[in-house]
mmCIF file with all atom_site columns, all heavy atoms in Angstrom:
data_model
loop_
_atom_site.group_PDB
_atom_site.id
_atom_site.type_symbol
_atom_site.label_atom_id
_atom_site.label_alt_id
_atom_site.label_comp_id
_atom_site.label_asym_id
_atom_site.label_entity_id
_atom_site.label_seq_id
_atom_site.pdbx_PDB_ins_code
_atom_site.Cartn_x
_atom_site.Cartn_y
_atom_site.Cartn_z
_atom_site.occupancy
_atom_site.B_iso_or_equiv
_atom_site.pdbx_formal_charge
_atom_site.auth_seq_id
_atom_site.auth_comp_id
_atom_site.auth_asym_id
_atom_site.auth_atom_id
_atom_site.pdbx_PDB_model_num
ATOM 1  N N   . GLN A 1 203 ? 9.860  -14.061 -3.322 1.00 98.00 ? 203 GLN A N   1
ATOM 2  C CA  . GLN A 1 203 ? 10.234 -15.173 -2.444 1.00 98.00 ? 203 GLN A CA  1
ATOM 3  C C   . GLN A 1 203 ? 11.250 -14.720 -1.435 1.00 98.00 ? 203 GLN A C   1
ATOM 4  O O   . GLN A 1 203 ? 12.051 -13.838 -1.698 1.00 98.00 ? 203 GLN A O   1
ATOM 5  C CB  . GLN A 1 203 ? 10.754 -16.363 -3.278 1.00 98.00 ? 203 GLN A CB  1
ATOM 6  C CG  . GLN A 1 203 ? 9.755  -17.160 -4.122 1.00 98.00 ? 203 GLN A CG  1
ATOM 7  C CD  . GLN A 1 203 ? 10.461 -18.379 -4.697 1.00 98.00 ? 203 GLN A CD  1
ATOM 8  O OE1 . GLN A 1 203 ? 11.489 -18.870 -4.304 1.00 98.00 ? 203 GLN A OE1 1
ATOM 9  N NE2 . GLN A 1 203 ? 9.779  -18.920 -5.725 1.00 98.00 ? 203 GLN A NE2 1
ATOM 10 N N   . ALA A 1 204 ? 11.082 -15.278 -0.253 1.00 98.00 ? 204 ALA A N   1
ATOM 11 C CA  . ALA A 1 204 ? 12.147 -14.867 0.796  1.00 98.00 ? 204 ALA A CA  1
ATOM 12 C C   . ALA A 1 204 ? 12.373 -16.113 1.714  1.00 98.00 ? 204 ALA A C   1
ATOM 13 O O   . ALA A 1 204 ? 11.404 -16.937 1.965  1.00 98.00 ? 204 ALA A O   1
ATOM 14 C CB  . ALA A 1 204 ? 11.646 -13.766 1.546  1.00 98.00 ? 204 ALA A CB  1
ATOM 15 N N   . ASP A 1 205 ? 13.538 -16.157 2.261  1.00 98.00 ? 205 ASP A N   1
ATOM 16 C CA  . ASP A 1 205 ? 13.973 -17.280 3.103  1.00 98.00 ? 205 ASP A CA  1
ATOM 17 C C   . ASP A 1 205 ? 13.511 -17.060 4.488  1.00 98.00 ? 205 ASP A C   1
ATOM 18 O O   . ASP A 1 205 ? 14.483 -17.062 5.425  1.00 98.00 ? 205 ASP A O   1
ATOM 19 C CB  . ASP A 1 205 ? 15.510 -17.545 2.943  1.00 98.00 ? 205 ASP A CB  1
ATOM 20 C CG  . ASP A 1 205 ? 15.964 -18.715 3.655  1.00 98.00 ? 205 ASP A CG  1
ATOM 21 O OD1 . ASP A 1 205 ? 15.364 -19.778 3.514  1.00 98.00 ? 205 ASP A OD1 1
ATOM 22 O OD2 . ASP A 1 205 ? 16.972 -18.646 4.407  1.00 98.00 ? 205 ASP A OD2 1
ATOM 23 N N   . ILE A 1 206 ? 12.300 -16.816 4.786  1.00 98.00 ? 206 ILE A N   1
ATOM 24 C CA  . ILE A 1 206 ? 11.848 -16.382 6.139  1.00 98.00 ? 206 ILE A CA  1
ATOM 25 C C   . ILE A 1 206 ? 11.865 -17.662 7.104  1.00 98.00 ? 206 ILE A C   1
ATOM 26 O O   . ILE A 1 206 ? 11.804 -17.376 8.359  1.00 98.00 ? 206 ILE A O   1
ATOM 27 C CB  . ILE A 1 206 ? 10.416 -15.795 6.082  1.00 98.00 ? 206 ILE A CB  1
ATOM 28 C CG1 . ILE A 1 206 ? 9.347  -16.749 5.520  1.00 98.00 ? 206 ILE A CG1 1
ATOM 29 C CG2 . ILE A 1 206 ? 10.437 -14.503 5.202  1.00 98.00 ? 206 ILE A CG2 1
ATOM 30 C CD1 . ILE A 1 206 ? 7.988  -16.198 5.637  1.00 98.00 ? 206 ILE A CD1 1
ATOM 31 N N   . ASN A 1 207 ? 11.873 -18.770 6.593  1.00 97.00 ? 207 ASN A N   1
ATOM 32 C CA  . ASN A 1 207 ? 11.853 -19.992 7.411  1.00 97.00 ? 207 ASN A CA  1
ATOM 33 C C   . ASN A 1 207 ? 13.314 -20.612 7.537  1.00 97.00 ? 207 ASN A C   1
ATOM 34 O O   . ASN A 1 207 ? 13.400 -21.679 8.271  1.00 97.00 ? 207 ASN A O   1
ATOM 35 C CB  . ASN A 1 207 ? 10.889 -21.029 6.886  1.00 97.00 ? 207 ASN A CB  1
ATOM 36 C CG  . ASN A 1 207 ? 9.505  -20.546 6.946  1.00 97.00 ? 207 ASN A CG  1
ATOM 37 O OD1 . ASN A 1 207 ? 9.108  -19.781 7.777  1.00 97.00 ? 207 ASN A OD1 1
ATOM 38 N ND2 . ASN A 1 207 ? 8.672  -21.003 5.940  1.00 97.00 ? 207 ASN A ND2 1
ATOM 39 N N   . ARG A 1 208 ? 14.307 -19.925 7.035  1.00 97.00 ? 208 ARG A N   1
ATOM 40 C CA  . ARG A 1 208 ? 15.702 -20.414 7.166  1.00 97.00 ? 208 ARG A CA  1
ATOM 41 C C   . ARG A 1 208 ? 15.840 -21.880 6.700  1.00 97.00 ? 208 ARG A C   1
ATOM 42 O O   . ARG A 1 208 ? 16.450 -22.680 7.391  1.00 97.00 ? 208 ARG A O   1
ATOM 43 C CB  . ARG A 1 208 ? 16.199 -20.186 8.640  1.00 97.00 ? 208 ARG A CB  1
ATOM 44 C CG  . ARG A 1 208 ? 15.931 -18.927 9.252  1.00 97.00 ? 208 ARG A CG  1
ATOM 45 C CD  . ARG A 1 208 ? 16.627 -17.718 8.559  1.00 97.00 ? 208 ARG A CD  1
ATOM 46 N NE  . ARG A 1 208 ? 16.593 -16.551 9.435  1.00 97.00 ? 208 ARG A NE  1
ATOM 47 C CZ  . ARG A 1 208 ? 16.748 -15.369 9.048  1.00 97.00 ? 208 ARG A CZ  1
ATOM 48 N NH1 . ARG A 1 208 ? 17.126 -15.053 7.821  1.00 97.00 ? 208 ARG A NH1 1
ATOM 49 N NH2 . ARG A 1 208 ? 16.737 -14.327 9.891  1.00 97.00 ? 208 ARG A NH2 1
ATOM 50 N N   . ALA A 1 209 ? 15.252 -22.308 5.556  1.00 96.00 ? 209 ALA A N   1
ATOM 51 C CA  . ALA A 1 209 ? 15.375 -23.523 4.996  1.00 96.00 ? 209 ALA A CA  1
ATOM 52 C C   . ALA A 1 209 ? 16.815 -23.788 4.537  1.00 96.00 ? 209 ALA A C   1
ATOM 53 O O   . ALA A 1 209 ? 17.559 -22.811 4.259  1.00 96.00 ? 209 ALA A O   1
ATOM 54 C CB  . ALA A 1 209 ? 14.361 -23.760 3.885  1.00 96.00 ? 209 ALA A CB  1
ATOM 55 N N   . ASN A 1 210 ? 17.193 -25.096 4.513  1.00 93.00 ? 210 ASN A N   1
ATOM 56 C CA  . ASN A 1 210 ? 18.544 -25.355 4.005  1.00 93.00 ? 210 ASN A CA  1
ATOM 57 C C   . ASN A 1 210 ? 18.718 -26.090 2.738  1.00 93.00 ? 210 ASN A C   1
ATOM 58 O O   . ASN A 1 210 ? 19.685 -26.654 2.392  1.00 93.00 ? 210 ASN A O   1
ATOM 59 C CB  . ASN A 1 210 ? 19.292 -26.138 5.118  1.00 93.00 ? 210 ASN A CB  1
ATOM 60 C CG  . ASN A 1 210 ? 18.534 -27.385 5.510  1.00 93.00 ? 210 ASN A CG  1
ATOM 61 O OD1 . ASN A 1 210 ? 17.788 -27.874 4.764  1.00 93.00 ? 210 ASN A OD1 1
ATOM 62 N ND2 . ASN A 1 210 ? 18.894 -27.901 6.723  1.00 93.00 ? 210 ASN A ND2 1
ATOM 63 N N   . ASN A 1 211 ? 17.488 -26.141 2.028  1.00 96.00 ? 211 ASN A N   1
ATOM 64 C CA  . ASN A 1 211 ? 17.529 -26.779 0.684  1.00 96.00 ? 211 ASN A CA  1
ATOM 65 C C   . ASN A 1 211 ? 17.485 -25.720 -0.378 1.00 96.00 ? 211 ASN A C   1
ATOM 66 O O   . ASN A 1 211 ? 17.375 -24.459 -0.127 1.00 96.00 ? 211 ASN A O   1
ATOM 67 C CB  . ASN A 1 211 ? 16.340 -27.767 0.578  1.00 96.00 ? 211 ASN A CB  1
ATOM 68 C CG  . ASN A 1 211 ? 15.061 -27.142 0.800  1.00 96.00 ? 211 ASN A CG  1
ATOM 69 O OD1 . ASN A 1 211 ? 14.666 -26.182 0.091  1.00 96.00 ? 211 ASN A OD1 1
ATOM 70 N ND2 . ASN A 1 211 ? 14.228 -27.563 1.800  1.00 96.00 ? 211 ASN A ND2 1
ATOM 71 N N   . ALA A 1 212 ? 17.449 -26.212 -1.641 1.00 97.00 ? 212 ALA A N   1
ATOM 72 C CA  . ALA A 1 212 ? 17.544 -25.231 -2.742 1.00 97.00 ? 212 ALA A CA  1
ATOM 73 C C   . ALA A 1 212 ? 16.088 -25.038 -3.419 1.00 97.00 ? 212 ALA A C   1
ATOM 74 O O   . ALA A 1 212 ? 15.945 -24.483 -4.453 1.00 97.00 ? 212 ALA A O   1
ATOM 75 C CB  . ALA A 1 212 ? 18.446 -25.689 -3.814 1.00 97.00 ? 212 ALA A CB  1
#
Side-chain angles (χ1 to χ4, degrees):
Q203 285 188 20
D205 187 44
I206 63 173
N207 296 329
R208 313 296 193 196
N210 56 19
N211 59 58

